[in-house]
Amino acid sequence: MAEKEATTYIVDVASSMGKKRHGRKVTDLDWAMTYVWDKITSTVASERKTAMLGIVGLRTNQTSNELEDEPIFENISVLQEISQILLPDLKRLQRAIKLSGTDQGDAISAIVIAIQMIAKHCKKLKWRRKIVLVTDGRGSLDADGILDISKKIKEDDIEIVILGVDFDDSDYGFKEEDKDPVKRNNEQTLKALTDDCDGVFGTLAQAIEELGIPRLKTTRPVPLYKDQLTLGEPNLYPETAMCIDVERYPRTMIRKPPSASLFVQRSNLSHGANSAQSSATILGGDEDHKAASFVSDPNGLTTVRNSRTYQIADESAPGRKIDVEREELAKGYEYGRTAVAISQSEENITKLETEAMLGIVGFIPWANYERYMHMSTTNVVIAQKTNSKAVLALSSLIHALFELESFAIGRLVPKKDKAPVLVLLAPSIEVDYECLLDVQLPFAEDIRSYKFPPLDRVVTVSGKILKEHRNLPSDVLSAAMSTYVDSLDLSDFGQDDDGKACEYMTMTDTYSPTLHRIDQVIRWRAIHPTEPFPPVYEILTRYSQPPVGLQKQAKRYLDKLVAVADVKKVPPRLAGRKRNRDPVKPQSGLDVDALLGREKKLKISHENPIPEFKRMLDTAEDPDTIKYAAQQLSKIIENQIRDSFGESNYGQVVEELTVMREELMDLEEPGLFNDFLRHLRRKLLADELKGDRREMWWEIRKNKLGLIEKKVSPRSEVTDDEAKQARDTSTTMQLEHTNICLKFLTTK
């Protein structure tokens, strides 16, 4: 279970926070809230019920706290009691945290309020307690009783963080010039408090700068396997077989970015059901009221529940299709051009009956293992934590493998009736722990063996081996390339805090750009619904290009490599093949195709349409031939759609449309493709291709094979408005199709 946390943020909203200082384009309050909102939204995004937050406003116009009767606690307001924060609470806090019209209020008293809130909520239970104060330090500060406050903070084990707007910080290297004496004294008082409590005191600029460093999510270890590691047959030979109680945990695992879900505004439902109908249904009504309560959002959003229907061809039914229930379907396996059905009662025949186990099959030397055989993420195998005998036995096995420079091959069944896999067990000995690292190995069917010509020699037709050839690098070229690669070494290009050389791109500083960028924009949009997104954090793009200094360092080696390799600039490729181009003829004037007995292809077959279409265009001498080739391929595409069993031919049609679109764009004949696409869309709308084929148009849209616009090809006559109208028609057609399905299901 995750650790319980209670954090209280104290935000200074005094009128002095409304000024723009030191060339900043935003007020001090907006700048400070950049940090506060980032921290709060990160907690909200974690969706942890044990992560509680409280908000206290300092130097507010009103007074709202449990000690408001005492004058020292005036102008302090509790904006949010300690609880789990959700998105509606964020919206409310946005409206509540505004600049006040006063500079009255004591920051030390606000800390006392925060201590009381945490003590009331956490009591004497085990919680991680934290107070964060963000202020500009320009108000009055009452330091009386600060020692008692520090003592209470330490007794309750509260972590205190004080961040100041333009506070002096020698470690960060910032010092404000011409500082107000009141602010200087307040900084000294607050710093003394944090030093006495072993807290954190710093300038806000550093805290905001460090927001760009992604915060890694701490995951609770969950065992993937918790049983015995065996060597031998314990059931047959219990006296000689080895059995060690072990646990298996993931060492590496891909963390995927959050995925988007489908939602619909509840307010839209009252304006008409058709506007919200799609290929999914909306939870609602009496029977779904209970389910809807779990998926409704306080912002009026409701999740969408997908529904699926199964249809089979029936010429006698309306629409030549009938619906069938999923229970009436049977699973089958392809066998040639037929399907072999296997009933649900016989499915167990296709599965192996296995028991959970991890058994060592044998051992191999390190030198006999190839790195390309890794097939999975890495896991660790450790001894059972409370079993001292298992710890000693596994340690002996690990050291034996390490000393003999060997790996163990194991057979793993993670759970009962799961398919067995082969794993490689490698010893790992660190200063503070020992373990076995395992990775899945391929079976014979998983290996892909391809033969390529060797890179260090040329074998002639007669079998002669050549070591020197124009396609082989010379010794001088190999040496130049080796020197250039060595000059790009990242292992010692970086610098540590002491200025010494170290690794430039460490694993701990390399973050997933996609994952953290999506996380960044989600948190930003939750607080700023209409503002543009912020730029990508620098640390996420830092390693997208080689470091500039390293490129300059390697420039002279690159120039030498270019000279030795005799690299020449390739002329740019022409934008398109001109349709009125002159055919290439040999200097002799002879017709080579006629001499070789080859005829020009004037017919495109149904069996091999794409290569023959390309070949016909390559030999086309006039626009009429291009038009004729496009017409032939158009007929083939229509026939494939018409003869398709369900969606079986749709993939091939998409591939042919892609080739047709690209080739006609290169030949500057976009009109041929656009005319055909309009013709095809009309037939799909009218169900003229042997039934309802509207899913085909959805595939065309999904693969971005729409009309060729004028901005893409200058010779096109399609404007942006016409292209947009075509896309809108596609959306309407998809909605009509789903509405018909929904009405049919409702009628049934």
Side-chain angles (χ1 to χ4, degrees):
M1 183 177 178
E3 187 179 13
K4 294 187 287 187
E5 301 177 2
T7 305
T8 300
Y9 290 92
I10 304 173
V11 182
D12 192 345
V13 296
S15 58
S16 61
M17 293 283 286
K19 295 183 179 181
K20 302 177 182 179
R21 296 182 172 89
H22 300 287
R24 291 189 289 268
K25 297 181 180 180
V26 295
T27 64
D28 290 349
L29 178 60
D30 291 337
W31 193 47
M33 290 308 298
T34 302
Y35 171 82
V36 176
W37 287 134
D38 186 273
K39 292 296 184 180
I40 293 176
T41 53
S42 297
T43 304
V44 174
S46 67
E47 298 181 355
R48 287 175 49 201
K49 294 183 179 180
T50 56
M52 307 289 188
L53 297 178
I55 309 294
V56 176
L58 171 61
R59 298 198 281 179
T60 57
N61 291 325
Q62 294 82 24
T63 301
S64 177
N65 60 76
E66 293 186 355
L67 304 176
E68 59 185 15
D69 295 336
E70 300 183 28
I72 197 174
F73 295 103
E74 291 182 353
N75 300 105
I76 299 174
S77 301
V78 177
L79 305 178
Q80 171 71 41
E81 293 287 351
I82 297 178
S83 63
Q84 184 185 11
I85 300 292
L86 301 176
L87 187 57
D89 301 316
L90 287 179
K91 302 296 184 183
R92 180 179 54 80
L93 288 172
Q94 274 188 292
R95 297 188 296 268
I97 301 178
K98 299 294 183 183
L99 278 172
S100 68
T102 180
D103 286 332
Q104 300 300 317
D106 181 49
I108 300 296
S109 300
I111 293 176
V112 173
I113 297 296
I115 294 173
Q116 185 187 31
M117 292 171 59
I118 291 177
K120 179 181 177 181
H121 181 81
C122 301
K123 298 181 175 60
K124 297 296 183 180
L125 301 177
K126 185 178 179 181
W127 282 75
R128 182 181 177 185
R129 302 165 172 88
K130 186 176 182 180
I131 296 175
V132 180
L133 169 63
V134 181
T135 179
D136 63 357
R138 295 181 182 274
S140 61
L141 205 66
D142 187 359
D144 292 342
I146 195 171
L147 295 179
D148 295 333
I149 296 173
S150 175
K151 182 180 178 181
K152 178 63 175 177
I153 291 174
K154 289 186 286 187
E155 286 178 356
D156 291 353
D157 192 21
I158 298 175
E159 178 188 359
I160 184 167
V161 178
I162 297 179
L163 300 174
V165 178
D166 300 324
F167 276 16
D168 295 341
D169 191 336
S170 57
D171 294 335
Y172 182 65
F174 177 81
K175 183 177 182 180
E176 186 180 20
E177 301 295 336
D178 302 325
K179 188 185 292 292
D180 181 20
V182 175
K183 181 178 180 181
R184 181 181 294 107
N185 293 333
N186 291 342
E187 287 186 29
Q188 294 173 357
T189 302
L190 294 174
K191 189 175 189 308
L193 175 63
T194 55
D195 290 343
D196 190 49
C197 302
D198 296 327
V200 177
F201 178 89
T203 185
L204 186 62
Q206 181 180 7
I208 293 178
E209 181 181 309
E210 291 178 352
L211 292 179
I213 301 176
R215 293 172 288 278
L216 301 183
K217 181 180 179 181
T218 303
T219 56
R220 182 169 58 93
V222 178
L224 303 176
Y225 174 82
K226 202 171 182 180
D227 211 313
Q228 290 187 332
L229 170 65
T230 62
L231 176 61
E233 292 289 344
N235 296 330
L236 299 178
Y237 310 102
E239 297 180 356
T240 58
M242 180 190 73
C243 298
I244 305 175
D245 294 326
V246 296
E247 298 175 359
R248 181 171 177 257
Y249 296 91
R251 181 66 175 271
T252 60
M253 184 171 291
I254 298 176
R255 182 184 168 190
K256 298 180 180 179
S259 58
S261 302
L262 292 175
F263 289 89
V264 67
Q265 286 282 355
R266 268 198 174 275
S267 59
N268 292 343
L269 301 183
S270 60
H271 299 297
N274 290 339
S275 62
Q277 287 180 350
S278 65
S279 58
T281 57
I282 301 163
L283 291 176
D286 296 335
E287 60 183 8
D288 290 325
H289 177 72
K290 183 177 179 181
S293 64
F294 293 98
V295 295
S296 291
D297 189 270
N299 291 309
L301 295 177
T302 303
T303 55
V304 178
R305 183 178 62 186
N306 295 324
S307 62
R308 178 176 295 182
T309 59
Y310 299 88
Q311 296 179 331
I312 61 174
D314 189 345
E315 295 296 333
S316 61
R320 295 190 288 275
K321 291 181 181 179
I322 59 173
D323 291 349
V324 294
E325 297 295 332
R326 189 177 187 275
E327 292 74 16
E328 300 178 19
L329 303 178
K331 291 185 178 180
Y333 294 87
E334 289 188 8
Y335 185 71
R337 298 185 61 86
T338 60
V340 177
I342 295 181
S343 63
Q344 188 174 2
S345 60
E346 297 175 328
E347 281 187 3
N348 293 332
I349 299 176
T350 62
K351 297 180 180 179
L352 294 176
E353 295 182 2
T354 56
E355 296 291 336
M357 66 161 296
L358 175 58
I360 296 177
V361 178
F363 305 91
I364 60 170
W366 292 353
N368 291 2
Y369 180 74
E370 300 293 344
R371 291 289 299 274
Y372 67 82
M373 300 181 75
H374 282 18
M375 281 194 63
S376 68
T377 55
T378 310
N379 303 281
V380 294
V381 178
I382 61 174
Q384 195 177 66
K385 298 175 183 178
T386 58
N387 191 334
S388 57
K389 290 185 178 180
V391 173
L392 181 61
L394 186 64
S395 177
S396 302
L397 176 62
I398 292 171
H399 281 269
L401 291 173
F402 185 81
E403 292 172 4
L404 296 176
E405 298 184 351
S406 298
F407 295 134
I409 304 297
R411 179 181 184 269
L412 172 65
V413 181
K415 292 182 180 180
K416 183 179 179 180
D417 293 333
K418 288 286 185 179
V421 295
L422 290 176
V423 294
L424 180 83
L425 299 172
S428 177
I429 302 176
E430 303 294 339
V431 177
D432 51 349
Y433 72 95
E434 301 172 347
C435 67
L436 289 173
L437 300 176
D438 82 72
V439 66
Q440 184 178 340
L441 295 176
F443 291 108
E445 297 80 6
D446 303 324
I447 299 293
R448 299 290 183 267
S449 299
Y450 303 103
K451 291 185 178 180
F452 299 98
L455 300 177
D456 60 343
R457 61 190 183 277
V458 173
V459 181
T460 63
V461 178
S462 60
K464 185 179 180 181
I465 298 177
L466 303 178
K467 292 291 186 179
E468 294 183 1
H469 191 269
R470 60 184 178 86
N471 293 334
L472 296 177
S474 62
D475 294 339
V476 178
L477 179 58
S478 299
M481 178 61 76
S482 177
T483 304
Y484 175 61
V485 171
D486 292 339
S487 67
L488 293 174
D489 187 8
L490 296 174
S491 60
D492 58 355
F493 185 73
Q495 286 187 345
D496 57 16
D497 297 336
D498 299 329
K500 297 181 180 179
C502 64
E503 185 178 355
Y504 171 73
M505 188 177 173
T506 61
M507 185 63 66
T508 55
D509 293 335
T510 309
Y511 304 97
S512 169
T514 303
L515 175 70
H516 294 289
R517 176 57 175 172
I518 293 178
D519 180 66
Q520 178 192 9
V521 299
I522 290 174
R523 290 186 283 110
W524 177 269
R525 183 55 78 224
I527 300 298
H528 308 91
T530 58
E531 296 182 16
F533 291 117
V536 183
Y537 291 137
E538 182 272 336
I539 196 171
L540 300 181
T541 59
R542 179 182 301 171
Y543 304 121
S544 59
Q545 297 291 338
V548 178
L550 191 63
Q551 293 185 61
K552 292 180 179 179
Q553 175 181 310
K555 181 67 168 58
R556 58 193 182 100
Y557 301 108
L558 176 61
D559 294 339
K560 182 178 180 181
L561 176 63
V562 170
V564 172
D566 193 21
V567 177
K568 297 178 181 179
K569 186 177 181 180
V570 178
R573 182 181 178 184
L574 297 178
R577 298 174 291 178
K578 300 299 181 181
R579 54 180 177 174
N580 295 325
R581 69 191 188 281
D582 296 329
V584 180
K585 296 181 180 180
Q587 295 181 355
S588 61
L590 298 175
D591 190 344
V592 178
D593 289 336
L595 291 174
L596 295 177
R598 295 189 306 205
E599 297 182 358
K600 294 181 180 180
K601 194 73 175 179
L602 296 178
K603 183 72 174 176
I604 300 176
S605 65
H606 288 258
E607 292 77 16
N608 198 24
I610 292 179
E612 293 180 4
F613 176 70
K614 289 183 176 181
R615 193 183 313 146
M616 191 171 182
L617 294 183
D618 289 337
T619 59
E621 300 178 358
D622 52 62
D624 292 337
T625 307
I626 299 175
K627 183 177 180 180
Y628 182 53
Q631 290 174 348
Q632 290 190 68
L633 186 58
S634 301
K635 292 181 180 179
I636 293 174
I637 290 174
E638 290 185 5
N639 290 334
Q640 288 175 340
I641 297 175
R642 185 180 292 107
D643 299 337
S644 175
F645 182 75
E647 302 177 7
S648 59
N649 292 345
Y650 288 0
Q652 185 177 355
V653 170
V654 168
E655 184 179 359
E656 291 166 355
L657 283 172
T658 303
V659 173
M660 183 180 184
R661 192 176 193 270
E662 293 175 353
E663 292 293 325
L664 293 179
M665 282 178 60
D666 287 345
L667 290 169
E668 299 181 353
E669 289 286 356
L672 294 176
F673 180 81
N674 291 337
D675 292 342
F676 167 64
L677 198 62
R678 294 190 188 99
H679 178 72
L680 179 62
R681 181 179 61 186
R682 182 185 60 79
K683 285 193 172 184
L684 291 173
L685 281 168
D687 294 342
E688 296 180 4
L689 295 179
K690 201 175 181 181
D692 186 0
R693 299 290 183 178
R694 303 188 186 191
E695 286 295 331
M696 182 66 245
W697 186 255
W698 179 252
E699 292 292 330
I700 294 173
R701 278 197 63 205
K702 184 175 69 174
N703 289 275
K704 300 179 180 179
L705 298 175
L707 297 175
I708 302 174
E709 304 173 31
K710 195 174 187 66
K711 63 182 181 181
V712 178
S713 177
R715 302 187 72 91
S716 175
E717 298 179 356
V718 177
T719 62
D720 294 343
D721 294 338
E722 185 179 353
K724 183 178 182 301
Q725 183 180 1
R727 289 192 292 269
D728 294 342
T729 303
S730 304
T731 305
T732 304
M733 191 172 72
Q734 183 69 15
L735 288 175
E736 290 177 353
H737 176 62
T738 54
N739 287 339
I740 292 172
C741 294
L742 289 172
K743 290 179 181 178
F744 183 70
L745 289 173
T746 306
T747 304
K748 288 191 69 178

